[in-house]
Amino acid sequence: MQVSISYINNTLRKLKYLENCCRTDVPYLYAYRFTHSKISMPKINNPYLYIVTDGSMRLHTPSGIMDYMQGQYSVSAIDTPQSAQVLNFSEENDFLALSVEFTLDDVISIVLDLEGDFAERIINSQIQPQTMIRSDNAVIQSIEKLLSLITETERLSFMSVHIKREILFNVLCGSCGKQFLQRIINIQQAGEIYEINSWIKQNYKIAFTVGELASKLNMSVSAFHQKFKSAVGMGPLQCQKRLRLTEARRLMLDENKSVTETSLDVGYESVSQFIRDYRKMFNASPKEDIQTLSERMKK
């Protein structure tokens, strides 16, 4: 991790700051440098990670005071920062940090892609301590990877989307993953809902109704739909559609399947409906989207 931190700090010190902040070429990544003890926390509407890269800080929150050392990060949705101050400056007499902005949809898309019961294991504190440590360290390694692409505009545009998902996945697997997942997706005790979500992942190609899912938990349709949406961030049929279209994209890109063949493979009865749904999700027709992705991958 020390190698990653050193590279990151060397890169950050080359940036040009305006009032202690620098907006990088990555839309969701901001850099900060302070030479005085008072730290101005980011004024960002969305949730964000705040990663200390050189020096240490004390964060004041409604629930108490927390200290963060080099390589550690806070999550605004958990800690709700009110103010912060430098505890120790770096050897260069400054304090360096980064913020990674994200949305609820960013997190939901990752949760939907988790294999099997992994989300339940996070919620039930069943992730091994060694995995948490590796995941927390991997956040820094992902940031290093992102900064190494800053001068490569075309690669950065494509890769930054995937690296952002990588960062958030590692946060989910890290030391504050349970709190992160509970707070972001507003989950308390959603084990039964995640069982249904796992069932949808395995059976998204077949037709089902919300009533059939609700009956599995002996719940009314309205109560089930509300609880599912609260836990997962979208309704069960929307979840099914997202899974179908994500798999469709993979089939066309990786296996070179036609639009018609793909629509049938993922459970659509109407090709025209498949194309409409695909365009709505990816902002392009299937052929246009796959052509764009294929061209990017060749660069």
Side-chain angles (χ1 to χ4, degrees):
M1 187 179 74
Q2 190 59 43
V3 174
S4 297
I5 286 284
S6 297
Y7 176 85
I8 290 169
N9 290 331
N10 288 336
T11 303
L12 296 189
R13 288 194 172 95
K14 295 175 183 176
L15 300 178
K16 294 182 179 180
Y17 293 85
L18 179 63
E19 296 182 353
N20 308 117
C21 178
C22 176
R23 183 168 188 169
T24 71
D25 290 335
V26 181
Y28 58 80
L29 185 70
Y30 294 78
Y32 306 91
R33 180 176 181 269
F34 296 92
T35 55
H36 49 77
S37 59
K38 184 179 180 181
I39 298 173
S40 302
M41 297 304 289
K43 294 178 175 61
I44 300 174
N45 293 327
N46 286 323
Y48 61 86
L49 308 181
Y50 194 81
I51 306 164
V52 176
T53 67
D54 213 353
S56 62
M57 76 170 187
R58 174 159 290 170
L59 188 65
H60 298 262
T61 76
S63 58
I65 296 172
M66 286 168 282
D67 295 343
Y68 292 89
M69 309 296 133
Q70 184 185 66
Q72 295 182 326
Y73 59 86
S74 68
V75 184
S76 67
I78 298 174
D79 297 329
T80 317
Q82 295 178 322
S83 63
Q85 64 193 68
V86 176
L87 278 180
N88 294 293
F89 287 101
S90 69
E91 293 181 357
E92 303 290 331
N93 295 315
D94 58 10
F95 171 85
L96 299 178
L98 288 162
S99 68
V100 176
E101 184 180 4
F102 58 92
T103 67
L104 177 61
D105 284 345
D106 290 332
V107 182
I108 290 170
S109 68
I110 294 169
V111 173
L112 288 174
D113 288 342
L114 295 178
E115 294 292 332
D117 63 349
F118 197 68
E120 295 101 302
R121 288 168 54 205
I122 293 173
I123 290 296
N124 294 326
S125 304
Q126 295 175 339
I127 305 301
Q128 294 296 320
Q130 299 93 326
T131 300
M132 291 184 183
I133 293 171
R134 285 197 301 269
S135 297
D136 286 337
N137 289 338
V139 171
I140 297 297
Q141 292 162 2
S142 297
I143 292 291
E144 179 194 20
K145 187 190 307 180
L146 189 60
L147 290 175
S148 72
L149 296 171
I150 285 291
T151 59
E152 302 180 48
T153 306
E154 292 180 343
R155 289 192 67 207
L156 179 65
S157 177
F158 182 75
M159 292 300 296
S160 62
V161 176
H162 301 283
I163 295 175
K164 184 181 187 181
R165 285 174 56 83
E166 183 179 293
I167 291 169
L168 293 175
F169 172 76
N170 284 316
V171 173
L172 282 170
C173 300
S175 55
C176 63
K178 177 178 179 178
Q179 287 179 287
F180 179 60
L181 193 53
Q182 285 179 323
R183 189 63 62 89
I184 295 299
I185 311 181
N186 192 26
I187 304 169
Q188 296 302 320
Q189 298 296 326
E192 290 179 334
I193 293 299
Y194 274 114
E195 288 180 12
I196 294 295
N197 191 36
S198 295
W199 183 90
I200 293 174
K201 288 180 181 180
Q202 296 169 13
N203 299 278
Y204 65 86
K205 295 180 182 180
I206 67 174
F208 57 78
T209 66
V210 177
E212 289 169 344
L213 299 181
S215 67
K216 293 177 182 290
L217 301 181
N218 296 316
M219 296 175 65
S220 69
V221 171
S222 59
F224 169 77
H225 191 275
Q226 182 178 3
K227 190 172 182 180
F228 189 98
K229 189 171 183 178
S230 176
V232 180
M234 64 183 72
L237 296 181
Q238 186 180 359
C239 175
Q240 179 196 35
K241 182 185 295 184
R242 186 173 188 130
L243 289 166
R244 283 179 169 182
L245 295 173
T246 301
E247 173 63 6
R249 199 184 205 188
R250 186 195 69 79
L251 288 172
M252 289 184 290
L253 186 62
D254 295 347
E255 300 184 18
N256 200 31
K257 290 198 172 185
S258 68
V259 172
T260 300
E261 185 181 11
T262 298
S263 67
L264 295 174
D265 282 351
V266 298
Y268 274 86
E269 295 181 358
S270 166
V271 177
S272 58
Q273 184 62 50
F274 167 71
I275 294 173
R276 284 195 294 271
D277 288 348
Y278 193 99
R279 183 184 291 276
K280 189 173 182 180
M281 180 168 172
F282 296 114
N283 298 314
S285 70
K287 288 184 178 179
E288 293 168 342
D289 181 54
I290 297 306
Q291 182 178 353
T292 300
L293 289 174
S294 298
E295 290 173 353
R296 286 178 179 175
M297 291 175 68
K298 291 177 183 177
K299 292 180 179 179

